[in-house]
Amino acid sequence: MEDKRLQGLIEEMWPRLKKKHLYPELPIPKIVKASAPAEEEGEGNEGVGLEMKEKQMTLNPAFISSMKDKMTEENLIEALIDHGITHYTFCPWDFQTHLMIYAEAKKVMGDKESAKQATNYFIDVIADTHCVKKRATEIPELHRHLKKRKVDQVIASLYQRIWGIDLGVSFSNSDGKGSEEVVRRLARIPYLDRSRWPESIRKFARSLKPLLVAEQKEKESRGGQGESNPQGEHDLGHYSYEEIDQGLRDYAQKTMGLSEFKEVVEDFSPELKERGYGIEGGMGRGRGAPVDADVLFYMKLSENYSIPLKKVPLEKSGKLHPHSHSPWEIGAPFQDIDIWTSFGKIMPGMTQVWKKKEGKGRGKIEGAPDCLIVIDSSGSMINPRKNLSYAVLGAACATNAYLRNGSKVAVYNFSDAPMGGRDIVDYTENREEIYRVLCRYFGGGTALDLEEIMPLIKGKKELDLFIITDMKITNLETLIGFFGKIKNRITAVHIGENPYAARFEKAVEKRKNINIFKVKKKEDIPHIVLGSIREYFDVTRKTGD
Amino acid sequence: MFDGKVRVVEKNGYQKQVMSIYRFINDRLYYNRPDIEIKGEPYNSTILFSLLTGLTGGKELIIGEPGLGKTTSAEFVCSLMYQFPLGVIWGSEVSGHPEQTEEKIIGRPDLGKLNRGEEDVVWTNFSQVPVKIVDEINRLPETKQSMILDGVDRGNWEYLNEMIINDEYCLFATANYQDGGTNTIIAPLVDRFDVIVESRYPGANLSFIIGKNRGKNHILRHPKYEKDLYRVLKSKVAYEKKIPKMEEICNAFGEHVRETAGVKPLKREDRDRIRAEMEGLDLDLDASAFTRMILSELSFCERYGQKRIVENCEEGCHYTGYLCRQIRNCASNRLPTSIKSFARGLAWFLGDSGIDIEHVTSVMPYTLSHRIQWKDEVLSQKERAKRDDPFQIFLAKEAVKAVLQRYREQSDHLKDALALGSKIFQGAPLEPPEGDHPIYAEIRKDIRYRMNHGERLGDADDPEPV
Amino acid sequence: MTQNPFEEFQSFQYRKTSFPLDRIVHTAEAVMDRIRLGYEKLLEEEAKELVWMVQYNTIIKAYEVAEKYIKEIDYSAEDIEDFCFALENTQRIPYLIPGPAGIYISALCNDAREEEIVLKLSELKTEINLIGFRLPKGKRLMVEGDTGDFTGIGIEGGELVVEGNSKNWTGAGMRSGKICVKKNIGLHTGEWMMGGEIHVGGRVRGLGNIVDGKVYEREKLVYPGKARYPNVYY
């Protein structure tokens, strides 16, 4: 009954609140009892007031009731919703920004838990400050009445200073000087300047570090039981799968650093798994599967470079058929006159002729062929699990291109193959399996074993080959000989300039089915490979449709 | 322009009438689920935008899988908004196929008179009735598509040196998704459509009911009035004289529908008054500033002066975070016209006293999606995203959402910059506004032009532009 | 008259309320600009070719120039810390030359109104040289993080606390006062030291030619003492 009344109140307020925040695309907040009753949160702790899961804000009636002597229900609800909306509309805005802030905090804090804490405080300070500056809000009133631990007191004192509103916070003499100094430092941070958030979070974390470390210790001494943030925790629950997908993709592209990506993903690994985010099944999801950060990195990064390919290429049949009418002119041939629309008259301006057009028909190739990716993981190549390997990235982009077109991909990853330094995955659509083999690194010598490759090629009518190597292959002549015999389309990417690459290039220069890409800067690889594949498959461009 | 004061729209109950038409179509004729929410109320975009097209005299392209009610939805809306029986609407439709000719679309010579050596034109129903439906427009050759859209743009239909002028009209065109068997609608033509909507699958349960209710067309049919209207349309009197006669029959049909179906279609004078009411609605400052912001993102290029489809973005451009980086072409001048017209229609329909940012953001994706040409990398990045809408509309919704986020952050600053621009434009010696977004660069450009040429322009006593 | 494209906004009045955060940030930015300008002028005068040799007279001269520019600025300890981080941001300050930068930071600390200054520099990638130069009596400078060469040289009675390590020539020529290095210290520690104390929480890699004063390693007095020789690696 009480919940219904509160829900009614929210429904009444919602249009006004939406207007105030310029109509965010959020569903109407709901009143839902929190799973853990407020009493369990500890004496005097009101529990979580607001939670946000996949854009759905939920308000805890127990929290609202516990605050009823301090604030009117309307003001309290408005403050909580203002806070929630501002997280959506300003900070963190998206998952990528959240990850970026966390990664910067981690650099200062060192450990995962306190980095998450620093991130949460920072995000809250930004959201509330933005809201207080830009909108008429009851957020200051809420802060005035919330119960405060040490860090909260410092944050509230910071608010007093940067908002210019008295929230009734003053420090006792014992630790007042230290706290004042922290507040002074925190107040200098340009919270509302999005472009400076990376440096701002570092400064924020640096200033708050001693207090956060102390709080963390206190929490550990209580057996890990901390008090919950009444304005809600900022975990991955805020984001939908799609937002997480997009966030990881953007973050991988922005950092371009494997180690940084890996560290952040591993820190969030339990939450990612809880959200059903493994990397099984090609879509990057699957409950219970371990999160392999390396594979995930190349997966997400390569998605930024993915290529649109036409699945069903059309080939012109060559036959002409009547397509449209055009006016007949004196001197024009008679055979195309359409007597029906000409009303039986031969008269310029009235008589019409059929305009003929070449027809289209479906060609032989239904979609793209399968692809065998041959990737070099010898010692002269970069270890993809340590540094960003553009070879793996290039191969990953090619993989995506073929899989998107319903084709299958096989991988032959080789170092010193005759000595066992190789890994093979047969034709499959399982992206994860392909990526795992692509990311495999042997780091030994470089020799191909053609006898192992042959079974992957034989029996395939249509097959593309994609080889990515630095060409420092000990049996390069054998490879050249092999390429000379087959008619499949081959995309060869070699890294750096060396005599072997030059030899290869010279040997196959007359073969039209082989496209070679020289890569002077490793950054060129994804672009060049993509461009090549695009030309490969863009049938419309080839046929001049 | 809207001055910030709340104006009370004079309501003649037309909103109620139009809403009852919406409900009637939704409940009895075109079963589908709501797919958009505006001001907290759910609507079906196909019916809503078709109604707005009819009200504003716009041009709508309805896309969808075959057999999902693209044409029928337009027919129902036209019948109830313009009081034409379905039989006449069917007889006025142009169906798209490669052999379609000008004679079947606009008019043909009067063969009897031609044999007597006289020249006279027999106009088609399509050119004479105000509601124009083109089925499968993408199957028409480009020349014919262009001919229809030209005619609808101007309201003029010409044949053999004769011309008729429609003083009221709207266009509904349907198209299947592009596949190998159909032509495309080329970009310059698609730009002429105000909005694009998808007629969607209604879901297994509603689809099942549709199969059961086959006789729903009869509600909007009336053989006598249909014959009467055909007679008027075929008659050899001047077009201007036919119009009052048609209206008379339409009114009688409208009365019949009101009596039998309980829904009151719109008369000509109703539509005129609605349009007059709409004219009184202006964009509020947020709606205007936001629209300017998105237009600037869709047209801005720092290096080359504006977006052009033949020019590519340069590496290292400062403005990489905006839509200009993601698209290939430049927004046309028809875009703001469509946005304003449909937002105005929506605001009127909802009974609001002005056009606010929610009206604008609601119509914007449907006015944008067919006009934006996204870069390949954007398409490939997002093609697998989870969505409910067709890809183009989904991308447009995402784009509007992203710009709205940016607008929220700097709405006050932007309005301030525009106000400053106005003051500088009027000669105040102030510094041009600063800001990172392309709109600020656009404001500065306008101001710079004014500053450089201001005196000459100001003193020349040039006539006010019309 | 040309159409005014902004006409509808003519009457828009943005109620620009003064927001304290904006004021604080703006003030801090303005101070930082002035500090940065002083540093750039110091470089212009003292490191024209972007080369600077650590010599007694170059240090004294650079310090005098630094003092000249600092005198005109009203700043706080937090501004000094911000400047240290700004030095690493090449977009904001194009050249970090460790010598003049250290002299400039020392001058800023010595001239600051606060008696106690805490610089949280643990995330700083560069170790700043010459920090604590001429720290006067009554001043306490705490550095969280590591410092570079010539830390605390010529201290004039002040107290310098380094929470991390410091490199070579620490406390060289110091006259009085105290240097506490919580972790390890490099070679030539206390070279030509005339007085005062150096306390090292970790290891002292090597002592310099000390004239007078005391050096403690893990609370144990190592100078004056029998077993220690200048720069002996032990």
Side-chain angles (χ1 to χ4, degrees):
Chain A
M1 195 61 191
E2 178 64 5
D3 292 2
K4 262 192 177 171
R5 188 183 61 78
L6 289 171
Q7 190 64 46
L9 193 60
I10 290 174
E11 276 161 24
E12 209 174 280
M13 295 164 72
W14 184 236
R16 182 174 59 79
L17 294 179
K18 258 185 102 176
K19 189 177 179 191
K20 179 164 86 173
H21 291 273
L22 296 173
Y23 306 101
E25 285 197 43
L26 290 170
I28 187 163
K30 287 179 183 163
I31 291 285
V32 177
K33 280 197 177 79
S35 47
E39 300 87 75
E40 284 178 27
E41 300 276 351
E43 202 183 332
N45 182 16
E46 301 90 347
V48 178
L50 171 82
E51 268 191 291
M52 199 160 176
K53 286 233 181 294
E54 294 190 27
K55 295 184 185 172
Q56 176 64 61
M57 280 184 274
T58 51
L59 274 63
N60 178 6
F63 178 81
I64 296 171
S65 145
S66 71
M67 295 283 285
K68 68 180 171 210
D69 299 335
K70 298 167 187 162
M71 276 177 91
T72 65
E73 275 174 348
E74 286 88 342
N75 286 355
L76 177 60
I77 289 171
E78 181 159 351
L80 289 171
I81 293 178
D82 279 345
H83 177 84
I85 292 179
T86 316
H87 277 313
Y88 172 74
T89 58
F90 190 66
C91 183
W93 177 320
D94 59 11
F95 184 56
Q96 188 245 324
T97 312
H98 195 149
L99 283 184
M100 178 274 291
I101 293 173
Y102 169 79
E104 294 297 332
K106 175 94 187 286
K107 283 179 194 162
V108 178
M109 302 303 294
D111 84 296
K112 180 179 149 183
E113 278 313 312
S114 48
K116 281 185 181 172
Q117 280 296 321
T119 305
N120 288 350
Y121 279 116
F122 184 69
I123 287 172
D124 275 343
V125 170
I126 292 177
D128 284 352
T129 303
H130 177 81
C131 198
V132 169
K133 186 184 173 187
K134 298 267 180 178
R135 324 253 178 255
T137 177
E138 296 297 332
I139 286 176
E141 192 63 14
L142 174 65
H143 281 289
R144 191 172 290 129
H145 298 298
L146 285 178
K147 188 173 174 286
K148 296 173 190 73
R149 291 160 295 168
K150 182 109 189 259
V151 182
D152 300 320
Q153 273 192 328
V154 168
I155 297 289
S157 173
L158 166 71
Y159 289 150
Q160 286 191 152
R161 190 177 281 237
I162 64 176
W163 298 349
I165 298 172
D166 180 19
L167 302 178
V169 180
S170 57
F171 295 112
S172 61
N173 286 338
S174 58
D175 50 15
K177 199 180 157 205
S179 301
E180 281 292 350
E181 190 205 306
V182 174
V183 171
R184 218 170 45 233
R185 281 169 195 276
L186 292 176
R188 297 163 56 88
I189 297 171
Y191 294 101
L192 304 183
D193 186 347
R194 179 188 291 277
S195 65
R196 292 173 68 183
W197 283 350
E199 64 175 284
S200 294
I201 174 64
R202 286 198 299 272
K203 192 170 176 184
F204 184 85
R206 203 160 58 228
S207 307
L208 215 53
K209 191 174 176 178
L211 293 173
L212 288 174
V213 170
E215 191 179 86
Q216 192 63 28
K217 275 186 188 153
E218 199 187 319
K219 190 177 161 187
E220 278 161 18
S221 69
R222 288 200 306 263
Q225 289 290 310
E227 287 179 5
S228 44
N229 179 356
Q231 289 180 300
E233 301 294 337
H234 306 295
D235 51 26
L236 297 198
H238 275 221
Y239 308 100
S240 63
Y241 288 132
E242 285 67 37
E243 284 174 305
I244 293 174
D245 250 0
Q246 182 68 38
L248 290 173
R249 198 155 50 222
D250 291 347
Y251 188 66
Q253 193 184 24
K254 197 155 191 179
T255 59
M256 291 296 267
L258 177 61
S259 54
E260 211 170 310
F261 181 87
K262 209 167 149 177
E263 190 179 334
V264 169
V265 167
E266 277 167 6
D267 284 351
F268 280 99
S269 150
E271 290 96 326
L272 283 171
K273 267 194 262 177
E274 202 174 298
R275 303 276 289 128
Y277 206 100
I279 53 161
E280 217 168 71
M283 283 297 287
R285 290 170 207 150
R287 196 170 286 279
V291 178
D292 184 335
D294 296 333
V295 173
L296 193 60
F297 175 72
Y298 288 103
M299 252 185 189
K300 292 298 148 202
L301 191 56
S302 64
E303 281 170 14
N304 288 301
Y305 299 98
S306 49
I307 320 151
L309 301 179
K310 301 216 167 178
K311 196 176 174 185
V312 187
L314 292 168
E315 287 180 358
K316 290 187 175 178
S317 69
K319 282 185 182 173
L320 294 173
H321 71 88
H323 179 259
S324 57
H325 284 103
S326 63
W328 174 78
E329 291 163 312
I330 293 171
F334 286 90
Q335 67 267 24
D336 289 339
I337 286 176
D338 180 0
I339 51 162
W340 300 105
T341 56
S342 306
F343 311 107
K345 306 259 174 196
I346 304 295
M347 201 185 277
M350 167 143 307
T351 308
Q352 293 192 321
V353 289
W354 278 113
K355 239 174 125 179
K356 292 184 176 177
K357 225 180 169 181
E358 200 179 9
K360 290 173 181 175
R362 294 193 191 279
K364 288 176 190 167
I365 306 164
E366 289 277 326
D370 291 346
C371 179
L372 169 62
I373 294 178
V374 181
I375 185 166
D376 178 354
S377 67
S378 61
S380 54
M381 304 291 284
I382 287 170
N383 182 348
R385 289 187 180 264
K386 287 205 168 140
N387 288 300
L388 171 59
S389 158
Y390 287 84
V392 173
L393 180 59
C397 292
T399 302
N400 287 357
Y402 283 94
L403 292 185
R404 260 170 217 278
N405 280 271
S407 306
K408 289 181 179 172
V409 172
V411 182
Y412 179 75
N413 180 332
F414 72 101
S415 170
D416 200 348
M419 299 298 286
R422 52 107 183 93
D423 202 349
I424 300 171
V425 62
D426 206 349
Y427 293 96
T428 177
E429 287 163 340
N430 187 329
R431 205 150 76 107
E432 184 206 350
E433 211 178 310
I434 297 165
Y435 274 62
R436 270 194 207 287
V437 179
L438 287 179
C439 288
R440 184 91 194 266
Y441 185 73
F442 292 101
T446 321
L448 273 158
D449 190 346
L450 288 177
E451 280 183 20
E452 283 180 330
I453 299 180
M454 283 319 285
L456 292 166
I457 296 173
K458 270 185 186 165
K460 284 262 171 194
K461 221 176 172 185
E462 295 285 345
L463 178 72
D464 283 355
L465 255 81
F466 181 94
I467 179 162
I468 193 156
T469 170
D470 58 4
M471 294 287 171
K472 291 177 187 166
I473 303 170
T474 42
N475 54 348
L476 184 65
E477 295 305 321
T478 324
L479 181 73
I480 292 168
F482 171 65
F483 280 176
K485 280 183 217 156
I486 58 173
K487 286 181 180 168
N488 302 62
R489 300 186 297 184
I490 301 167
T491 307
V493 179
H494 65 81
I495 297 164
E497 273 192 288
N498 56 55
Y500 306 94
R503 161 81 189 102
F504 179 82
E505 214 171 300
K506 185 118 186 78
V508 299
E509 66 185 357
K510 285 186 182 157
R511 298 296 308 248
K512 282 184 181 166
N513 61 326
I514 303 178
N515 278 311
I516 306 170
F517 298 105
K518 218 185 297 180
V519 177
K520 285 183 183 169
K521 287 188 293 174
K522 55 188 177 180
E523 286 83 356
D524 296 340
I525 292 183
H527 301 289
I528 291 173
V529 171
L530 292 170
S532 151
I533 290 175
R534 197 190 301 264
E535 279 164 29
Y536 240 49
F537 287 97
D538 197 343
V539 178
T540 52
R541 203 171 298 176
K542 272 192 176 173
T543 55
D545 192 6
Chain B
M1 279 294 165
F2 186 60
D3 54 11
K5 290 174 201 160
V6 176
R7 264 182 217 150
V8 180
V9 175
E10 208 178 306
K11 288 177 190 163
N12 298 301
Y14 289 126
Q15 278 93 349
K16 256 190 183 172
Q17 194 178 340
V18 176
M19 183 56 89
S20 72
I21 292 174
Y22 174 90
R23 298 266 172 249
F24 183 77
I25 296 172
N26 200 30
D27 296 345
R28 306 265 306 265
L29 302 172
Y30 176 79
Y31 301 149
N32 218 320
R33 294 171 178 148
D35 56 355
I36 49 168
E37 192 183 299
I38 305 166
K39 306 249 167 176
E41 289 295 321
Y43 294 95
N44 177 272
S45 59
T46 314
I47 310 176
L48 179 67
F49 281 96
S50 297
L51 283 179
L52 295 179
T53 305
L55 285 176
T56 57
K59 293 186 272 298
E60 181 187 56
L61 180 63
I62 309 170
I63 55 164
E65 294 280 306
L68 290 187
K70 296 185 292 292
T71 318
T72 43
S73 66
E75 288 162 356
F76 293 140
V77 169
C78 289
S79 176
L80 288 165
M81 299 294 279
Y82 285 78
Q83 306 189 109
F84 276 95
L86 279 183
V88 175
I89 290 174
W90 291 337
S92 317
E93 278 174 22
V94 167
S95 68
H97 53 80
E99 294 81 23
Q100 193 58 277
T101 60
E102 192 175 357
E103 285 69 28
K104 289 176 197 162
I105 297 171
I106 299 176
R108 60 176 173 80
D110 184 328
L111 293 176
K113 285 188 179 174
L114 194 66
N115 280 329
R116 293 199 296 273
E118 293 167 33
E119 223 178 58
D120 197 9
V121 179
V122 178
W123 300 101
T124 59
N125 291 354
F126 177 79
S127 62
Q128 294 186 85
V129 297
V131 285
K132 302 186 193 300
I133 298 176
V134 182
D135 198 15
E136 298 198 71
I137 192 167
N138 53 328
R139 295 190 64 217
L140 284 175
E142 281 151 21
T143 50
K144 302 295 182 301
Q145 293 176 16
S146 176
M147 192 178 74
I148 291 172
L149 289 157
D150 271 342
V152 176
D153 259 354
R154 298 167 193 154
N156 291 357
W157 302 96
E158 288 171 48
Y159 192 80
L160 292 180
N161 293 332
E162 284 193 40
M163 183 173 78
I164 55 169
I165 301 171
N166 297 150
D167 57 352
E168 186 194 26
Y169 52 88
C170 57
L171 174 75
F172 296 86
T174 71
N176 290 327
Y177 299 115
Q178 308 288 311
D179 60 44
T182 56
N183 293 328
T184 51
I185 310 173
I186 58 168
L189 293 182
V190 93
D191 181 55
R192 297 178 180 208
F193 285 99
D194 290 303
V195 287
I196 186 170
V197 287
E198 185 193 35
S199 184
R200 306 156 68 115
Y201 186 64
N205 298 315
L206 284 176
S207 177
F208 177 72
I209 298 174
I210 293 168
K212 273 173 130 182
N213 298 349
R214 285 188 154 267
K216 63 190 177 191
N217 286 345
H218 291 292
I219 302 171
L220 297 177
R221 292 216 58 181
H222 195 289
K224 182 185 172 297
Y225 295 135
E226 284 169 12
K227 272 184 196 159
D228 291 348
L229 278 166
Y230 269 115
R231 204 168 43 245
V232 174
L233 287 165
K234 266 170 60 184
S235 63
K236 310 258 160 138
V237 293
Y239 177 63
E240 293 73 34
K241 289 184 181 163
K242 289 182 188 176
I243 294 171
K245 286 184 184 168
M246 280 201 288
E247 268 168 26
E248 204 177 297
I249 304 166
C250 286
N251 286 345
F253 172 71
E255 192 54 32
H256 161 77
V257 172
R258 191 185 65 77
E259 281 167 11
T260 54
V263 62
K264 198 174 157 198
L266 294 177
K267 289 182 184 162
R268 173 67 195 255
E269 58 261 35
D270 297 338
R271 295 193 296 273
D272 287 343
R273 293 194 67 173
I274 288 170
R275 285 176 193 136
E277 283 180 19
M278 281 183 189
E279 282 304 309
L281 300 176
D282 281 323
L283 272 79
D284 71 13
L285 294 187
D286 278 316
S288 170
F290 171 67
T291 309
R292 287 161 192 254
M293 190 179 215
I294 203 162
L295 289 175
S296 70
E297 288 201 30
L298 295 172
S299 58
F300 181 76
C301 179
E302 190 200 25
R303 178 172 284 256
Y304 301 122
Q306 66 159 78
K307 288 290 301 178
R308 288 185 195 92
I309 201 155
V310 289
E311 289 158 351
N312 288 324
C313 291
E314 290 295 314
E315 286 300 319
C317 173
H318 172 77
Y319 296 91
T320 49
Y322 302 106
L323 291 182
C324 55
R325 183 75 173 185
Q326 299 177 17
I327 63 171
R328 296 167 59 218
N329 60 329
C330 180
S332 80
N333 285 336
R334 291 191 181 99
L335 175 63
T337 312
S338 303
I339 293 170
K340 281 189 269 186
S341 165
F342 274 73
R344 181 171 283 132
L346 180 63
W348 176 88
F349 177 60
L350 300 176
D352 291 329
S353 54
I355 306 164
D356 65 30
I357 202 164
E358 192 172 8
H359 300 129
V360 170
T361 50
S362 302
V363 303
M364 226 174 228
Y366 299 91
T367 58
L368 275 183
S369 63
H370 53 297
R371 289 172 157 130
I372 300 182
Q373 293 180 42
W374 297 95
K375 287 187 181 166
D376 287 346
E377 52 265 37
V378 177
L379 297 174
S380 62
Q381 269 176 33
K382 297 198 171 166
E383 67 188 350
R384 290 190 307 162
K386 190 176 178 292
R387 56 187 157 89
D388 280 332
D389 292 299
F391 193 36
Q392 286 289 332
I393 295 178
F394 165 76
L395 289 173
K397 282 187 177 174
E398 291 287 301
V400 171
K401 217 189 285 177
V403 180
L404 185 60
Q405 298 269 35
R406 290 195 265 281
Y407 181 72
R408 277 192 202 107
E409 279 181 31
Q410 47 190 306
S411 59
D412 287 334
H413 183 64
L414 174 55
K415 284 182 281 185
D416 202 29
L418 290 162
L420 188 62
S422 180
K423 287 180 187 100
I424 296 174
F425 218 86
Q426 293 191 332
L430 298 164
E431 282 295 307
E434 284 182 9
D436 186 68
H437 193 276
I439 183 70
Y440 301 106
E442 294 287 357
I443 297 171
R444 286 194 292 271
K445 270 190 198 175
D446 290 329
I447 291 170
R448 202 178 311 132
Y449 187 78
R450 163 70 189 168
M451 284 163 132
N452 292 343
H453 304 272
E455 279 185 22
R456 189 168 56 77
L457 291 170
D459 298 342
D461 277 342
D462 286 343
E464 287 280 334
V466 180
Chain C
M1 186 69 185
T2 322
Q3 171 95 39
N4 177 356
F6 317 108
E7 201 178 355
E8 62 193 287
F9 294 90
Q10 179 71 22
S11 56
F12 176 74
Q13 289 284 324
Y14 174 34
R15 280 170 289 119
K16 274 185 187 142
T17 46
S18 156
F19 196 62
L21 172 67
D22 293 342
R23 261 196 331 266
I24 298 168
V25 170
H26 183 260
T27 311
E29 296 280 325
V31 171
M32 181 54 57
D33 284 345
R34 297 196 66 194
I35 293 178
R36 202 159 42 217
L37 193 69
Y39 174 67
E40 280 164 14
K41 282 185 176 165
L42 173 68
L43 290 190
E44 261 172 45
E45 288 183 29
E46 292 301 304
K48 286 194 182 80
E49 306 295 321
L50 301 180
V51 176
W52 192 78
M53 300 294 287
V54 185
Q55 287 167 355
Y56 181 74
N57 57 342
T58 54
I59 293 175
I60 299 293
K61 181 134 181 283
Y63 188 79
E64 280 169 8
V65 174
E67 270 193 317
K68 182 175 79 184
Y69 292 116
I70 284 162
K71 284 269 180 281
E72 299 162 4
I73 311 169
D74 183 17
Y75 59 91
S76 65
E78 286 83 32
D79 292 312
I80 307 173
E81 190 178 297
D82 284 352
F83 175 70
C84 294
F85 281 94
L87 278 172
E88 286 200 330
N89 186 342
T90 49
Q91 280 174 338
R92 306 182 80 186
I93 297 176
Y95 306 110
L96 165 58
I97 303 177
I103 297 272
Y104 192 69
I105 292 164
S106 299
L108 283 167
C109 294
N110 298 349
D111 217 43
R113 54 174 178 262
E114 293 96 339
E115 283 180 1
E116 186 174 313
I117 296 164
V118 181
L119 299 180
K120 291 173 184 278
L121 305 182
S122 43
E123 283 87 46
L124 208 62
K125 291 179 195 100
T126 323
E127 288 144 355
I128 294 172
N129 294 341
L130 287 149
I131 209 156
F133 174 63
R134 282 192 174 176
L135 190 70
K137 197 172 178 192
K139 285 259 174 190
R140 188 166 191 267
L141 172 61
M142 278 183 68
V143 180
E144 289 183 11
D146 299 336
T147 57
D149 291 328
F150 307 106
T151 298
I153 64 169
I155 281 192
E156 293 175 356
E159 185 184 347
L160 172 66
V161 181
V162 179
E163 296 282 350
N165 303 294
S166 80
K167 286 180 150 175
N168 304 327
W169 308 96
T170 299
M174 72 182 276
R175 291 169 192 179
S176 58
K178 193 175 169 185
I179 298 175
C180 292
V181 177
K182 295 283 170 77
K183 290 184 182 167
N184 304 319
I185 204 165
L187 298 168
H188 307 287
T189 301
E191 180 86 8
W192 293 107
M193 175 178 171
M194 316 284 276
E197 293 175 1
I198 299 176
H199 294 254
V200 184
R203 296 288 308 267
V204 178
R205 198 156 178 230
L207 294 175
N209 294 302
I210 301 171
V211 178
D212 201 3
K214 289 174 180 170
V215 179
Y216 295 86
E217 185 185 51
R218 293 177 185 155
E219 295 176 3
K220 193 178 145 199
L221 186 70
V222 291
Y223 186 89
K226 287 178 190 170
R228 312 303 290 262
Y229 298 96
N231 277 334
V232 172
Y233 181 74
Y234 59 96

